[in-house]
Amino acid sequence: MIRLARVGARKQPYYRIVVIEKDRARNGRSIEVVGTYNPRTEPATVSLKRDRIDYWTGVGAQMSDIVAKLVKNAPATEAVAA
């Protein structure tokens, strides 16, 4: 599953987009970090490793609804392979 894992201080959310087994805890051990999402900037900042997301979806990983929306709406110019 590809979903968000919350990091950051209280009332200062910052999210990692991670590949993780579906039954693990939200912030449990992930397989791979494939991006980040910062909703506190104006506009919200999304950085993605599109090649890794394509790989994981190709081998059967499903995206959560929010991650699917972030991937769909993220401009190609903002996506970085860092």
Side-chain angles (χ1 to χ4, degrees), residues 27-46:
N27 291 340
R29 190 180 67 191
S30 62
I31 299 170
E32 183 178 358
V33 177
V34 294
T36 59
Y37 168 56
N38 186 358
R40 300 186 69 232
T41 59
E42 188 59 44
T45 307
V46 178

Side-chain angles (χ1 to χ4, degrees), residues 18-64:
V18 297
V19 178
I20 192 169
E21 292 179 25
K22 188 174 178 99
D23 57 348
R24 292 222 182 236
R26 178 192 73 190
N27 291 340
R29 190 180 67 191
S30 62
I31 299 170
E32 183 178 358
V33 177
V34 294
T36 59
Y37 168 56
N38 186 358
R40 300 186 69 232
T41 59
E42 188 59 44
T45 307
V46 178
S47 65
L48 302 169
K49 297 179 185 174
R50 294 225 185 232
D51 57 334
R52 296 306 295 164
I53 291 173
D54 293 340
Y55 167 77
W56 283 109
T57 54
V59 295
Q62 296 178 346
M63 289 190 260
S64 69

